[in-house]
């Protein structure tokens, strides 16, 4: 992760739009500012999707105050909902005073599924024996990925998916890409060989968006006194945040709203960087329901005079390919962020989610979300 300078831009919200752009320009140069001012040109949009007739703009803001693994990070957020950016900045300010967020991320392994119907009984054994050959066939379809050090890593057979069906999982190191196109191509490339080995009919060949091997985690520990807010002691707020988390654990109706607040931050960053936020949403909700009941993606507890928070969720995101490259504002966002790898972006995404969740729960535990929101609308953070 490369820093673009301090993220503590005190009073940023009070500046005019021109003054904010001047600050960004001092860091990234005039070209970046021109790009963000121009937005998405119509001819680029026309090449991105079919039947283009126009462009829907969204505000792009910058969440301030983030310190992630010791690095100062400005977090670009594209979102239509007011208060999200101010709330995340506010929470990040509390966390920064306590040393910032600490993160880690799994290797960028994305999984393709190949469905095999009516396989012969010894198909799993035959496929396991041919693993090296299958990996080679998969790799041959993605020479560029291979030359950069990525590639297919593992073939697994799942037999717990109904009668007359087995599912092959092809695990692929996608480096800095989200990987959908890569693994879909590989899945198609290996399917002839798989049909031959298994005597099966090939069914679907597509990635799974349940990216449970590609999770990102973040945590923070905030001294209670740092949480005090109008009319509420830090301890009251912290205990309220922890209690709100217990509520989400006990009630899926609450857990969904709790997680929606997390996705306020996550999605805003993913939209700003041209990532497939629907894929991350789908994987995140599946992770939230992995134990059979839908639960919260974050944990909060009070311990040793501090509010301890953590988040863990699948985070299949990339900084190369797709809209991340095609969309000039997504390129601007990635530059502002200083993300050097897909893993860097994943780390920031979970921090944005944890910060958004903290802001929402602290407001709910204190003055209530409407008053909190109104205060943020008035830009008094
Ligand atoms: C609103 O966009 C998000 C919240 O509803 C999240 C929550 O209730 O935790 C405030």
């Amino acid at each position: 992760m490369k820093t673009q300078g301090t993220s503590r831009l005190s009073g940023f919200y009070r500046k005019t739009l021109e003054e904010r752009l001047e600050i960004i320009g001092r860091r990234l140069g005039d070209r970046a500012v021109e790009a963000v001012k121009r937005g998405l040109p119509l001819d680029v949009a026309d090449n991105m999707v079919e039947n283009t007739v126009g462009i829907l703009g969204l505000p792009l803001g910058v969440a301030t105050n983030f310190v992630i693994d010791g690095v100062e990070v400005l977090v670009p957020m594209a979102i239509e909902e007011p208060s999200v950016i101010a709330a995340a900045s506010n929470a990040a300010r509390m966390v920064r005073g306590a040393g910032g967020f600490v993160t880690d991320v799994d290797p960028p392994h994305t999984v393709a599924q190949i469905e095999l119907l009516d396989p012969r009984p010894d198909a799993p054994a035959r496929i396991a024996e041919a693993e090296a050959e299958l990996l080679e066939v998969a790799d041959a379809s993605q020479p560029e990925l291979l030359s950069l050090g990525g590639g297919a890593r593992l073939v697994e057979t799942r037999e717990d998916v109904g009668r007359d069906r087995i599912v092959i999982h092809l695990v692929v190191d996608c480096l800095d890409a989200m990987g959908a196109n890569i693994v879909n191509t590989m899945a198609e490339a290996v399917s002839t060989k798989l049909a031959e080995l298994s005597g099966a009919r090939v069914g679907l060949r597509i990635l799974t968006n349940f990216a449970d091997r590609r999770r990102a985690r973040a945590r923070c520990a905030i001294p209670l006194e740092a949480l005090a807010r109008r009319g509420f002691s830090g301890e009251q707020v912290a205990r309220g945040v922890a209690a709100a988390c217990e509520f989400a654990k006990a009630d899926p109706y609450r857990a969904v709203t709790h997680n929606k607040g997390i996705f306020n931050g996550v999605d805003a960053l993913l939209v700003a960087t041209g990532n497939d936020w629907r894929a991350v949403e789908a994987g995140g909700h599946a992770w939230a329901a992995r134990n059979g009941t839908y639960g919260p993606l974050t944990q909060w507890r009070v311990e040793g005079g501090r509010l301890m928070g953590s988040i863990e969720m699948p985070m299949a995101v990339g900084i190369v390919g797709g809209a991340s490259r095609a969309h000039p504002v997504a390129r601007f966002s990635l530059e502002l962020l200083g993300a050097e790898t897909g893993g860097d972006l994943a780390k920031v995404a979970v921090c944005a989610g944890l910060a958004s969740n903290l802001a929402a729960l602290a407001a709910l535990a204190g003055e209530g979300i409407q008053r909190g929101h109104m205060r943020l609308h008035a830009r008094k953070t």
Side-chain angles (χ1 to χ4, degrees):
M1 195 89 183
K2 189 171 73 186
T3 187
Q4 302 286 16
T6 180
S7 64
R8 179 83 190 104
L9 301 181
S10 188
F12 195 59
Y13 61 89
R14 262 191 253 108
K15 303 211 180 293
T16 64
L17 182 55
E18 279 308 318
E19 286 169 341
R20 284 186 218 122
L21 282 170
E22 214 179 287
I23 292 172
I24 300 295
R26 280 204 290 275
R27 294 176 182 217
L28 303 185
D30 293 343
R31 275 237 315 272
V33 170
E34 283 314 310
V36 77
K37 275 170 132 173
R38 203 177 317 117
L40 179 63
L42 204 48
D43 59 322
V44 178
D46 197 21
N47 279 324
M48 285 174 72
V49 299
E50 310 71 38
N51 302 354
T52 304
V53 293
I55 287 160
L56 170 73
L58 271 182
L60 176 76
V62 175
T64 56
N65 299 324
F66 279 78
V67 173
I68 301 175
D69 300 322
V71 179
E72 302 268 343
V73 182
L74 286 172
V75 181
M77 289 190 172
I79 190 160
E80 85 296 344
E81 183 176 336
S83 301
V84 168
I85 297 169
S89 304
N90 204 26
R93 186 164 51 80
M94 291 190 262
V95 176
R96 124 184 235 116
F101 296 93
V102 176
T103 71
D104 73 276
V105 67
D106 292 336
H109 288 176
T110 289
V111 174
Q113 294 196 291
I114 302 111
E115 182 192 27
L116 298 176
L117 298 157
D118 302 319
R120 42 191 281 180
D122 59 352
R126 287 166 61 93
I127 290 167
E129 263 166 44
E131 183 177 25
E133 192 185 342
L134 288 162
L135 295 178
E136 226 171 87
V137 173
D139 281 343
S141 73
Q142 289 292 325
E144 194 187 334
L145 180 71
L146 201 67
S147 72
L148 294 169
R153 295 286 183 258
L154 203 65
V155 176
E156 286 177 347
T157 300
R158 289 185 46 227
E159 298 180 61
D160 59 342
V161 279
R163 279 185 53 216
D164 308 325
R165 177 195 288 116
I166 57 175
V167 175
I168 308 308
H169 278 194
L170 179 67
V171 181
V172 183
D173 184 337
C174 295
L175 301 177
D176 294 324
M178 182 267 193
N181 286 328
I182 292 171
V183 306
N184 291 345
T185 304
M186 284 186 168
E188 292 181 10
V190 295
S191 59
T192 311
K193 183 77 201 161
L194 283 170
E196 194 185 302
L197 289 164
S198 62
R201 283 182 293 123
V202 175
L204 303 190
R205 295 161 295 171
I206 187 78
L207 91 161
T208 170
N209 288 122
F210 188 20
D212 59 349
R213 293 172 187 257
R214 201 170 170 176
R215 302 198 300 274
R217 290 159 284 273
R219 57 182 199 277
C220 60
I222 310 164
L224 298 189
E225 55 278 11
L227 291 154
R229 52 205 292 141
R230 213 175 283 182
F232 296 88
S233 72
E235 172 148 14
Q236 279 172 322
V237 174
R239 296 216 177 275
V241 169
C245 195
E246 290 307 309
F247 180 9
K249 282 185 202 165
D251 179 7
Y253 282 88
R254 174 56 208 156
V256 170
T257 319
H258 179 108
N259 289 345
K260 188 276 182 186
I262 293 170
F263 279 108
N264 275 347
V266 173
D267 288 351
L269 170 64
L270 299 188
V271 173
T273 55
N275 269 270
D276 184 346
W277 51 273
R278 286 93 52 215
V280 174
E281 283 257 1
H285 294 301
W287 180 253
R290 68 194 177 283
N291 298 323
T293 322
Y294 189 92
L297 291 166
T298 57
Q299 307 289 330
W300 293 99
R301 64 178 203 282
V302 179
E303 199 181 287
R306 295 185 300 172
L307 176 65
M308 320 284 280
S310 63
I311 183 169
E312 176 173 34
M313 61 185 288
M315 194 53 74
V317 294
I319 60 165
V320 294
S324 306
R325 175 164 304 172
H327 198 306
V329 183
R331 288 204 300 273
F332 165 87
S333 293
L334 285 168
E335 196 184 340
L336 179 70
L337 199 57
E340 293 175 300
T341 64
D344 282 349
L345 178 59
K347 289 174 179 182
V348 181
V350 282
C351 292
L354 190 59
S356 297
N357 182 230
L358 171 60
L361 299 190
L364 287 165
E367 70 275 21
I369 203 76
Q370 289 308 100
R371 279 192 56 195
H373 269 210
M374 293 321 288
R375 200 158 55 81
L376 291 172
H377 283 200
R379 296 178 169 180
K380 289 199 194 108
T381 39

